[in-house]
Amino acid sequence: MEKVSYTRMKDMTARDTALIEADFRAGAAELPDRILEAVRVLEGFQGAMPVNRLEHSLQSATRALRDDRSEEYVVAALVHDIGDELAPYSHGPMVAAILRPFVSERIAWIIEKHALFQAYYYAHHLGADRNARDKYKDHPYYADCVVFCERYDQSAFDPSYDSLDLDYFSDMVHRVFKEPKAGPSIEAAY
């Protein structure tokens, strides 16, 4: 592979920029497969849970699909916990950052805030405020995030649930992550 001529970006040439742009586009085309692999890796992450995180993610997506949610909503449900291993204290914002160029702001906000909203179900057992989510009570997507957590997150730990397998969702992931809604952004490219 041809390499760029610079060691400092301020010395970039038009040819260097073209090389990097081609490399960026090739990498971006592989994003759907990297997303699917990130979901697949969740199989090894279970801890004390009754199902591993892959099964939890499949249940979340299957439930959303069976409720006739949009494709981007189903995909967001599938990937909502892919940041658990790398960002245990901020996985919602991490996954929202991955999703944001490809989904509506509503879906990105739901995923960004889902961990806080999910705490409603257990925070009081830790001596924390289970109603901490209420600081967003006046936000237009507050009720949407409550619904996401109630129907597709907190309820998706059932070992006997008949979830669809990851291959079922592959085409959806490829469609959602094919191209950013607003096109590529120069601030994200390099």
Side-chain angles (χ1 to χ4, degrees):
M1 169 181 260
E2 185 179 354
K3 301 290 184 194
V4 296
S5 65
Y6 67 87
T7 58
R8 297 176 299 179
M9 288 185 96
K10 70 181 184 177
D11 298 328
M12 286 176 79
T13 65
R15 177 72 183 140
D16 293 332
T17 304
L19 287 171
I20 291 173
E21 179 65 15
D23 188 53
F24 171 80
R25 290 202 178 276
E30 296 170 359
L31 180 60
D33 291 325
R34 290 196 308 271
I35 296 291
L36 287 165
E37 184 57 28
V39 175
R40 191 173 288 108
V41 165
L42 294 174
E43 184 172 24
F45 187 39
Q46 182 168 350
M49 301 285 188
V51 299
N52 63 44
R53 290 293 189 173
L54 171 59
E55 178 57 28
H56 168 68
S57 298
L58 294 171
Q59 285 186 31
S60 295
T62 301
R63 290 170 189 275
L65 179 73
R66 290 177 179 161
D67 274 357
D68 291 323
R69 294 291 179 165
S70 70
E71 190 165 80
E72 73 177 29
Y73 195 107
V74 171
V75 168
L78 179 69
V79 306
H80 79 278
D81 280 341
I82 62 173
D84 278 350
E85 287 188 297
L86 293 176
Y89 301 103
S90 60
H91 77 279
M94 177 187 164
V95 178
I98 293 167
L99 282 166
R100 191 162 269 114
F102 303 96
V103 301
S104 69
E105 182 54 32
R106 176 180 155 264
I107 299 294
W109 194 90
I110 289 168
I111 300 306
E112 179 179 350
K113 303 299 184 201
H114 85 274
L116 173 66
F117 280 59
Q118 189 78 336
Y120 173 81
Y121 301 100
Y122 65 84
H124 56 292
H125 297 302
L126 300 171
D129 180 8
R130 72 185 305 197
N131 295 306
R133 69 187 188 179
D134 288 350
K135 69 182 178 181
Y136 295 107
K137 194 87 166 166
D138 294 328
H139 194 280
Y141 307 138
Y142 175 91
D144 296 318
C145 196
V146 168
V147 167
F148 176 83
C149 289
E150 178 64 26
R151 293 186 187 166
Y152 312 118
D153 200 357
Q154 70 84 28
S155 61
F157 296 94
D158 182 352
S160 64
Y161 186 77
D162 63 331
S163 57
L164 299 165
D165 66 22
L166 187 56
D167 289 339
Y168 183 90
F169 298 102
S170 179
D171 289 344
M172 288 183 201
V173 169
H174 279 266
R175 284 189 295 272
V176 168
F177 286 101
K178 182 177 181 179
E179 188 72 36
K181 286 184 177 266
S185 164
I186 192 67
E187 87 178 27
Y190 311 109

